[in-house]
């Protein structure tokens, strides 16, 4: 997502990357404004955290009028919520390596790469912090994970069809089991989110899935 | 940890639960002040989150002089750090049920109970939020988990001695695997931290441990 330098309201209209005022752009001005605002909000969140997120500062950095930002996003939680909608829309499609172990390793690598990326890792921590104290941000975060987990569910469904895991295995539970140890390292224990952690998370989740631990409902096996 | 109503400096000394000024209490006045301040800080954190934590408000609620609180804890992160030291000191001893599965289930139940407790669950979320943006709080949180994980390590060591899991199994990795899915639910997916989640977390971790997934170092099995 590049910074388009979208200008509106009181912001300067002579930005270098926008030399032709009034020219038609994909998505139009509204989409350009949203892109610039969400990029600025994400940058500021990653840099200073949720408690310091200020709509006027976001507007200034995005080169968008303050009134536009206040009217459309209302408050910091509104920005976080829309940022999560945008992040869910741009998430990567699921892998299809031909085996559950391969797919879960690909998923674990993707999560690990996101959490260890300098900007993305800090951004996720800031958003999760926001969700601990704000219901709007919390609901948006749940919706983001719903999208992410649903996107990768076909990997588990295919594993059921191939007979790698028992029927009734819950895709959301399997995929949550892959992500959880990596988030725990990032947010709680402080242990590194490295290749060993990624590989262990995928292997442990696959093993448990194969042995029926993630069958939903009361028929779950404990062995 | 009960509220002792410890009074100091400018605070009122006629609190109902402290009818005998100057009487000797276990731990003395310094310990009583600390207990009252940490109880107040924990209550305010659970109620309003880290961003709203104010030392003057903590002092007022603890009935302790403001100058004492500022001098001893300096800032909100200092309070969070000392609260975590106190929480680590009061954590429960590890179980010894005779099997790794039983011990991990006991551990998962303890973590689940903490995270779903009205006050404790909110307190943990507030502390984790603090740790995402403050290095002092983050270091204190790591130290807290170090203590907790070390306290339960003997369960895994006993399982190695009993031959339930292979030699070289890393206790910290096993215990992290039990906690991680529960924290992921609390902080990310929003899925309930219920008995099914607790039981699944313990079973999945035990299974993976039994199959050598948590052997530390390069000799780790992937099956």
């Amino acid at each position: 997502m590049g910074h388009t330098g979208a200008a509106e309201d009181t912001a300067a209209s002579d930005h270098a990357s926008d030399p032709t005022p009034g020219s038609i752009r994909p998505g139009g001005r509204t989409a350009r404004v949203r892109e610039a605002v969400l990029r600025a909000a994400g940058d500021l969140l990653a840099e200073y955290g949720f408690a310091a997120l200020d709509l006027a500062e976001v507007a200034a950095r995005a080169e968008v009028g303050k009134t536009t930002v206040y009217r459309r996003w209302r408050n910091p939680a509104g920005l976080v919520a829309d940022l999560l909608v945008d992040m869910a829309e741009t998430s990567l499609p699921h892998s299809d390596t031909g085996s559950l172990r391969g797919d879960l390793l690909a998923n674990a690598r993707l999560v690990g790469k996101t959490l260890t990326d300098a900007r993305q890792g800090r951004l996720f921590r800031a958003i999760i912090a926001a969700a601990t104290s704000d219901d709007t941000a919390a609901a948006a975060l749940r919706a983001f994970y719903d999208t992410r987990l649903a996107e990768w569910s076909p990997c588990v469904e295919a594993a059921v069809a191939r007979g790698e895991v028992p029927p009734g295995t819950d895709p959301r539970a399997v995929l949550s089991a892959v992500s959880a140890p990596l988030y725990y390292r990032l947010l709680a224990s402080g242990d590194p989110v490295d290749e060993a952690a990624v590989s262990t998370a995928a292997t442990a989740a696959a093993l448990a899935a194969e042995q029926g631990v993630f069958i939903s409902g009361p028929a779950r096996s404990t062995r």
Side-chain angles (χ1 to χ4, degrees), chain A residues 27-218:
Chain A
R29 193 171 81 163
T30 302
R32 294 201 313 274
V33 165
R34 180 176 180 236
E35 188 181 346
V37 166
L38 295 185
R39 160 60 57 173
D43 287 348
L44 289 168
L45 272 170
E47 215 166 329
Y48 305 109
F50 180 65
L53 191 62
D54 178 68
L55 268 63
E57 205 178 339
V58 170
R61 190 180 276 220
E63 298 181 32
V64 163
K66 255 198 303 192
T67 52
T68 299
V69 176
Y70 280 101
R71 196 171 57 229
R72 183 150 169 203
W73 288 277
R74 296 180 55 196
N75 52 43
L79 277 172
V80 168
D82 198 31
L83 189 59
L84 282 162
V85 169
D86 184 65
M87 287 162 70
E89 281 164 1
T90 58
S91 57
L92 296 177
H94 65 86
S95 290
D96 185 7
T97 64
S99 77
L100 182 65
R101 296 219 171 193
D103 289 350
L104 294 189
L105 185 58
N107 181 263
R109 287 217 171 104
L110 192 63
V111 173
K113 195 178 155 196
T114 301
L115 299 186
T116 53
D117 176 83
R119 180 179 186 271
Q120 292 271 93
R122 292 178 66 91
L123 181 55
F124 265 89
R125 275 185 287 185
I127 290 173
I128 286 168
T132 63
S133 64
D134 185 287
D135 290 342
T136 302
L141 187 65
R142 303 329 173 209
F144 168 80
Y145 285 110
D146 286 346
T147 303
R148 277 279 170 106
L149 294 168
E151 198 166 78
W152 281 74
S153 290
C155 299
V156 179
E157 288 154 13
V160 172
R162 285 189 302 255
E164 291 180 77
V165 297
T169 296
D170 178 15
R172 185 184 179 94
V174 177
L175 293 161
S176 294
V178 175
S179 285
L182 307 177
Y183 276 83
Y184 184 76
R185 283 166 179 258
L186 181 78
L187 297 166
S189 74
D191 290 342
V193 180
D194 53 17
E195 177 60 23
V198 159
S199 157
T200 299
T203 305
L207 252 171
E210 288 160 8
Q211 307 220 7
V213 173
F214 300 121
I215 293 175
S216 51

